[in-house]
Amino acid sequence: MIKSIKSTGLGDDIAKVTKFIKADIAAEKVSRMLGYKSCGCAERQKALNKPELLVNKVFYNNDKK
């Protein structure tokens, strides 16, 4: 069962879905096989959680100034 943690932005919701379908594990394994240190998921999540993105302002009420 998935923990019900409040999302702060689109990045959190995408991370929840990828974790639920185990895509995060697959992405990590593939990136390691290709020689990368990380799959970039954490950086992507952080970038998609920025409050200045329009999707976060509209759907997550992240209109911090």
Side-chain angles (χ1 to χ4, degrees):
M1 185 154 172
I2 296 178
K3 293 180 183 178
S4 180
I5 300 173
K6 179 136 172 69
S7 296
T8 59
L10 180 63
D12 290 343
D13 284 342
I14 291 173
K16 285 180 189 178
V17 171
T18 57
K19 184 169 249 171
F20 181 74
I21 63 172
K22 306 294 187 215
D24 59 337
I25 296 170
E28 194 65 41
K29 286 183 180 180
V30 169
S31 65
R32 296 232 187 252
M33 286 188 335
L34 293 175
Y36 296 104
K37 292 180 182 177
S38 172
C39 63
C41 294
E43 295 86 8
R44 193 173 303 109
Q45 180 180 358
K46 186 177 176 182
L48 290 172
N49 279 339
K50 290 185 178 179
E52 61 267 7
L53 291 176
L54 181 62
V55 69
N56 291 337
K57 288 180 182 179
V58 173
F59 293 108
Y60 299 96
N61 296 323
N62 286 346
D63 50 359
K64 299 173 188 172
K65 295 181 182 181

